[in-house]
Amino acid sequence: MSQHYGVTCQVCGTTIEDDGFVLECSAKHEEAALLTASYAAKGFNPDSFFDGIFRYRSWLPICQDLYGSGRTITYQSQKLCQFLGLPNLWIAFNGYWLERGATLETATFKELEAYAVLARLPKQCKDVLVVASAGNTAAAFAAVCSQNQIPCLLIVPASGLTRLMFKETLNPCVKIVSLADADYDDAIQLAAYVAQLDGFFLEGGVKNIGRRDGIGTTMLAAVETIEQLPDYYFQAIGSGAGAIAVHEAAKRLIEDGRFGQTLPRLMLSQNIPFMPIYHAWKSGQHQLIPADPSVSKQQVQQIFAGVLSNQRPPYAVRGGVWDALTESQGDMLSASNEEAMAATKYFEESEGVRIDPAAGVAFASLIKASQQGLIDSDARVLLHITGGRCRESYSKMRFLQAEPTLELTAPPFCTEETLMKLVALF
Ligand SMILES: [Zn+2]
C-alpha cells in the first residue's frame, strides 16, 4: 500500500486504496456500512511540527496539508467542576478563544472536518465540491476553501446565512446558494441533485472518512492533554457523525494500549421535541421510527439548536449511531429549549464564552445526568463544546457577514432551471 491507510468496509471487510472520493463499498451486499480508514500506524504519535489537526496526520486519511488549521483545546474549569460536583470534568473546546489557543475562525468542530475532507482530495482535483449545510458546515468549508482556493458550492437554508461570518472577504472560488422557506433537508436534496452533474461531487456527510476522522481529532486532542481516555463523553447530536467519529478515534486509542482499555460511554443528547435518535434508542429499536415528514418539519422549527435537525441520521447503518451507542454502553439523553438556554447562559457567566445552542443541549444533559446521580463523582468526563466564542477574543476582531452568490426564492428547488443557474456560477 503506497498510502499510510486503506479504506475498509465494515460489512465485507474489503480494503481498497483511497482515491479521495470513495464513500461506499463497491461490493454488493444488502446491509449498508460506513467505510472506515485503517491506518498503518497503530500507535498514537502526534507530529509536534504542526499546531493544528495535521499534528494527527498519521491517523487522518489525507494526501496533502492545508493552510491555517486549528484544533480542539482541552481544559479544566474549576467553576464548572464545582458546579457539577465532578472534579474530573474536562472540556473539549472547539471555538475561538485566543487566550487558550483556540483559533477555529468559524468557531465550530465543523472546521476540523472541513480541513480533513479537503486535504483528502487529490491535489489536481478541479471538480466542484458540493456541500449541504444548516449553516455551520457551510461556514467551515467556506473559510477553508477560501484560504486554500478550492472551488466549492455551498447550499444553505436562508435561516443559516447568519452563521457565515468571516475574518476576510471570501475568495470567489466559494459560491453560496441560499434557499428561502427551506430547511436543512431541502439543502441536502438539492446538493444530491446538483452533484449528479459532471464536474460536481458530493462531500458525502457521515459517509466521508475524512469528515469523521477530522472530527475524531476532538478525542485525539483530548487524550493528548488528559493522557487517558474519558469514562464518559457528552455531546449533542443531529446526524451523530461527531459521536461516531470520536468513538472510532477512541477505538484506535485503545489499540495503542497506553490510554485505557474501556471505550468512553457515549452520552448523546437531542433537543426536545425533535429527537428521532432518542426515540429509536429508548424504544430499543435498531431502526429509526418512521415519522410523518410534516410533523418532523414542524418539530425542527421548534428547537433551540437548529443544527440538530437531521431527519435521516445514520442510525441503523453498520458502524452508525446504534453500533456506537451499543459498543460503548452509551445512552441517549434529552434537553428542552429552556434547559439548553439556561445551560448556555450559565456557561457564558462561568467561562466568559458564548456557546452554540447545540453545546447548550449537551451541557444541559450533563447537568441533568449529574443531578440524577447517573455519573460517579470521580468519573473522568469529557464535555464536547462547539461554537465557543470568547467574548474578549471576539470583541477584538471584526467579522464580515458573507452574502449569498445566488438566492433561490421559492421551492421546488430541484429543477432544470436551477441546475442551469448553478452551473453558470462556475
Ligand atoms: Zn463491503
Side-chain angles (χ1 to χ4, degrees):
M1 203 189 319
S2 60
Q3 292 170 314
H4 64 283
Y5 67 99
V7 182
T8 304
C9 170
Q10 296 185 70
V11 168
C12 69
T14 306
T15 295
I16 54 168
E17 194 160 327
D18 191 16
D19 63 359
F21 299 98
V22 64
L23 298 173
E24 284 170 351
C25 179
S26 57
K28 295 256 178 293
H29 40 72
E30 244 173 53
E31 191 184 356
L34 297 176
L35 298 174
T36 53
S38 29
Y39 296 102
K42 297 299 171 208
F44 177 49
N45 291 308
D47 181 344
S48 54
F49 180 77
F50 296 91
D51 279 335
I53 66 160
F54 296 112
R55 71 194 281 109
Y56 308 118
R57 55 189 304 115
S58 60
W59 284 359
L60 285 172
I62 55 172
C63 60
Q64 56 176 320
D65 300 318
L66 296 176
Y67 166 78
S69 85
R71 67 176 158 123
T72 310
I73 301 303
T74 311
Y75 79 98
Q76 281 201 295
S77 155
Q78 217 178 354
K79 273 190 196 164
L80 294 179
C81 288
Q82 271 174 3
F83 172 61
L84 289 161
L86 295 171
N88 243 328
L89 169 69
W90 293 80
I91 311 297
F93 182 87
N94 284 313
Y96 193 77
W97 190 353
L98 294 182
E99 188 195 337
R100 292 208 179 263
T103 59
L104 301 180
E105 176 184 344
T106 56
T108 78
F109 72 105
K110 301 291 184 180
E111 212 169 297
L112 308 173
E113 82 187 33
Y115 275 106
V117 164
L118 295 165
R120 185 186 167 214
L121 299 175
K123 279 181 194 153
Q124 67 280 12
C125 173
K126 292 280 175 280
D127 289 353
V128 177
L129 174 71
V130 184
V131 178
S133 164
N136 287 333
T137 305
F141 274 92
V144 182
C145 286
S146 179
Q147 282 163 7
N148 291 279
Q149 294 170 30
I150 300 168
C152 71
L153 174 63
L154 307 172
I155 301 176
V156 187
S159 57
L161 287 173
T162 52
R163 301 261 156 196
L164 303 179
M165 306 277 288
F166 306 96
K167 285 201 265 191
E168 288 164 9
T169 310
L170 293 175
N171 184 292
C173 67
V174 175
K175 311 289 185 193
I176 299 165
V177 175
S178 79
L179 310 182
D181 293 323
D183 59 25
Y184 181 34
D185 211 46
D186 298 307
I188 292 174
Q189 287 180 31
L190 179 56
Y193 186 64
V194 183
Q196 295 171 18
L197 292 174
D198 278 350
F200 293 84
F201 67 98
L202 269 188
E203 184 261 348
V206 70
K207 291 180 183 172
N208 192 317
I209 53 171
R211 173 183 277 226
R212 298 207 311 282
D213 288 356
I215 316 171
T217 62
T218 293
M219 182 60 80
L220 303 184
V223 169
E224 191 181 357
T225 301
I226 308 172
E227 298 180 332
Q228 283 290 311
L229 280 159
D231 301 313
Y232 292 92
Y233 174 80
F234 280 78
Q235 186 185 337
I237 59 169
S239 72
I244 298 167
V246 297
H247 181 67
E248 291 174 334
K251 288 203 257 189
R252 292 185 184 119
L253 289 162
I254 282 181
E255 240 187 286
D256 172 291
R258 290 172 291 168
F259 308 105
Q261 288 303 311
T262 311
L263 286 165
R265 296 176 71 172
L266 297 179
M267 306 296 274
L268 310 177
S269 46
Q270 295 204 288
N271 193 174
I272 301 167
F274 182 70
M275 306 195 290
I277 298 178
Y278 176 92
H279 291 306
W281 177 255
K282 286 296 188 188
S283 51
Q285 307 259 7
H286 195 164
Q287 302 287 334
L288 291 172
I289 300 163
D292 177 343
S294 64
V295 174
S296 299
K297 270 197 189 270
Q298 241 174 20
Q299 290 174 337
V300 162
Q301 285 165 9
Q302 292 168 33
I303 54 176
F304 172 51
V307 298
L308 306 179
S309 62
N310 193 309
Q311 295 178 36
R312 281 183 291 268
Y315 179 70
V317 61
R318 179 76 71 91
V321 179
W322 163 272
D323 282 348
L325 281 167
T326 306
E327 287 169 12
S328 74
Q329 299 184 48
D331 204 357
M332 285 304 302
L333 309 167
S334 67
S336 68
N337 286 352
E338 293 72 25
E339 290 165 339
M341 282 179 208
T344 334
K345 188 162 170 272
Y346 183 82
F347 197 95
E348 182 172 354
E349 283 164 10
S350 166
E351 308 299 287
V353 171
R354 289 193 196 107
I355 59 175
D356 270 4
V361 170
F363 185 33
S365 306
L366 171 58
I367 295 171
K368 288 204 289 187
S370 68
Q371 284 169 349
Q372 290 162 3
L374 296 179
I375 315 284
D376 284 346
S377 63
D378 59 350
R380 199 176 301 113
V381 176
L382 185 62
L383 169 65
H384 180 231
I385 290 292
T386 181
R389 293 171 175 86
C390 168
R391 280 187 309 227
E392 206 187 311
S393 304
Y394 244 60
S395 66
K396 291 178 193 150
M397 292 294 309
R398 243 171 52 94
F399 283 84
L400 307 166
Q401 171 79 53
E403 297 297 328
T405 326
L406 175 68
E407 293 176 77
L408 298 175
T409 49
F413 300 114
C414 297
T415 63
E416 285 289 321
E417 194 193 340
T418 306
L419 279 190
M420 275 154 54
K421 285 183 187 169
L422 296 180
V423 170
L425 296 177
F426 292 90

